[in-house]
Amino acid sequence: MTDKPMLLDPGMDLTLRPMRYPDFYERYRAAIRNTWTVEEVDLGSDLADLARLTPEERHLVNRLVAFFATGDSIVANNLVLNLYKHLNAPEARLYLSRQLFEEAVHVQFYLTLLDTYLPDADERARAFAAIEHIPSIRAKAEFCFRWIGSIDTLDRLDGPADRRAFLLNLICFAACIEGLFFYGAFAYVYWLRSRGLLNGLASGTNWVFRDESMHMSFAFAVVDTVREEEPELFDAGLTADVTRMLEEAVDVELAFARDLCGDGLPGMSADAMRRYLEYVADQRLARLGMPVRYGAENPFAFMDLQDVQELSNFFERRVSAYQIGVAGSVAFDEAF
Ligand SMILES: [Fe+2]
Ligand SMILES: [Fe+2]
């Protein structure tokens, strides 16, 4: 502990100069350079693909969009209820404000997606109510709600116990929800694209994927900062809690995979998805400086290609970005 104010100290710091955490401000600026709108994404070509899906593929797509219907709203709620309250630096709160806007764009994107994919009003309403009646989606939502509830009555982080509870919430949303549930969902999208299906969904997902990578990267930068300021919070108990949380997230997402994949589809199965989730969980643990849990390899070659694809889209996008007046240099960050 030092006498300098720390990121998790309670209060409402308003001082931007001198700036304590310029990296957070640069992340805010980088996010603004990455602005995109739902109206730019053309979902029209997906309709012909939807009409030729097999019943098993159609089931997978319907379940997937039903998860998307509420996923980003849950993240946005935690951001407002739990993260903004406790990250006591204006530059960190600038980033969170921008992230909240991006989550709103994601919610709008998936709203538009469901409106396009599910023209029948009853079917659409059922998809938006999925967390109430589809058990595999309900289990994911309950996992999220439990972690939102774990600190939503904490008004101040006064001692180590409160601060560890905050770190667990932050790590849960970055590593398990944005960094695992969403990555699993994106893997289905890119698997479909690898088979020439639903390119509209994949093109919008490229933008969401990049945003989520940046959200996760910011959260991990916050963890790094807290570790520098208060290393005593990072004890064996925290590592054990994070590892257990990720194990549970893998199990919950695997149940979703079993629901989506049934007995398996060409190039996609619950078993392959289990290995992918274990691989991703290991990556999250490694990023947090914690021992890996599974020793798994990435079974999905189409996800390795994703980074390259994203990069080329990113540069194509710069052309139209300049046209709408968003200027600035292209920054490479760890999202690639
Ligand atoms: Fe999002
Ligand atoms: Fe996010």
Side-chain angles (χ1 to χ4, degrees):
M1 287 263 210
T2 65
D3 292 336
K4 275 198 333 190
M6 297 188 291
L7 188 56
L8 300 188
D9 284 345
M12 192 170 64
D13 184 3
L14 301 172
T15 307
L16 280 162
R17 295 291 183 214
M19 188 178 282
R20 287 189 291 150
Y21 307 105
D23 170 66
F24 296 161
Y25 180 58
E26 290 309 315
R27 288 171 184 277
Y28 162 78
R29 296 181 67 216
I32 296 219
R33 287 197 294 273
N34 197 40
T35 298
W36 62 284
T37 66
V38 173
E39 286 72 18
E40 292 170 89
V41 180
D42 179 12
L43 294 169
S45 68
D46 288 359
L47 292 176
D49 291 343
L50 287 171
R52 64 189 176 94
L53 295 181
T54 65
E56 293 77 19
E57 290 165 343
R58 183 74 220 201
H59 168 78
L60 182 147
V61 169
N62 280 1
R63 281 288 194 270
L64 185 59
V65 302
F67 165 68
F68 283 139
T70 48
D72 292 83
S73 290
I74 292 174
V75 170
N77 274 280
N78 189 65
L79 199 161
V80 172
L81 296 174
N82 288 327
L83 300 183
Y84 196 97
K85 187 160 54 175
H86 298 301
L87 288 183
N88 188 16
E91 56 273 30
R93 285 173 169 145
L94 272 181
Y95 184 84
L96 291 176
S97 305
R98 168 66 194 196
Q99 182 181 340
L100 186 61
F101 164 74
E102 290 173 357
E103 301 301 359
V105 173
H106 301 173
V107 171
Q108 182 198 356
F109 174 61
Y110 293 121
L111 170 63
T112 307
L113 183 76
L114 268 75
D115 285 352
T116 306
Y117 279 24
L118 305 174
D120 178 73
D122 290 340
E123 206 184 338
R124 200 184 285 168
R126 272 199 304 280
F128 278 104
I131 64 168
E132 284 152 34
H133 63 85
I134 298 176
S136 66
I137 294 177
R138 186 192 186 103
K140 292 212 277 188
E142 282 174 351
F143 176 85
C144 301
F145 293 149
R146 186 152 48 78
W147 283 102
I148 290 179
S150 69
I151 60 165
D152 69 355
T153 57
L154 268 185
D155 286 328
R156 297 164 54 88
L157 304 182
D158 278 323
D162 290 351
R163 291 181 185 208
R164 282 200 192 92
F166 173 83
L167 284 172
L168 284 174
N169 172 284
L170 176 73
I171 291 170
C172 180
F173 274 79
C176 298
I177 298 172
E178 296 179 308
L180 190 97
F181 290 175
F182 287 3
Y183 270 64
F186 299 152
Y188 297 110
V189 172
Y190 293 124
W191 165 72
L192 287 159
R193 184 183 61 185
S194 75
R195 303 182 58 226
L197 297 168
L198 305 182
N199 278 306
L201 171 58
S203 69
T205 299
N206 286 338
W207 291 107
V208 179
F209 192 133
R210 187 177 158 79
D211 291 347
E212 298 303 350
S213 300
M214 291 174 81
H215 301 167
M216 191 169 60
S217 178
F218 170 79
F220 289 148
V222 168
V223 171
D224 290 343
T225 301
V226 175
R227 188 189 281 111
E228 278 166 32
E229 292 180 345
E230 304 182 73
E232 65 280 5
L233 296 177
F234 291 78
D235 58 8
L238 188 76
T239 297
D241 287 346
V242 169
T243 306
R244 201 175 315 119
M245 173 202 285
L246 266 161
E247 287 171 352
E248 192 184 337
V250 167
D251 288 346
V252 167
E253 186 63 28
L254 181 58
F256 183 63
R258 292 202 176 100
D259 182 3
L260 264 66
C261 299
D263 295 328
L265 297 108
M268 176 56 71
S269 67
D271 191 55
M273 183 54 81
R274 177 182 56 74
R275 282 178 282 137
Y276 178 68
L277 297 170
E278 291 176 353
Y279 162 78
V280 171
D282 277 352
Q283 286 207 315
R284 305 298 173 250
L285 287 166
R287 174 62 186 81
L288 290 162
M290 296 174 179
V292 300
R293 164 68 178 79
Y294 299 101
E297 308 255 318
N298 182 3
F300 292 146
F302 52 81
M303 292 305 282
D304 281 340
L305 290 172
Q306 178 50 31
D307 283 348
V308 179
Q309 178 81 22
E310 192 186 342
L311 189 63
S312 66
N313 284 343
F314 184 59
F315 281 113
E316 279 166 29
R317 160 72 191 150
R318 288 308 97 199
V319 178
S320 50
Y322 284 120
Q323 286 168 352
I324 61 167
V326 178
S329 60
V330 176
F332 288 91
D333 57 34
E334 60 195 275
F336 290 118

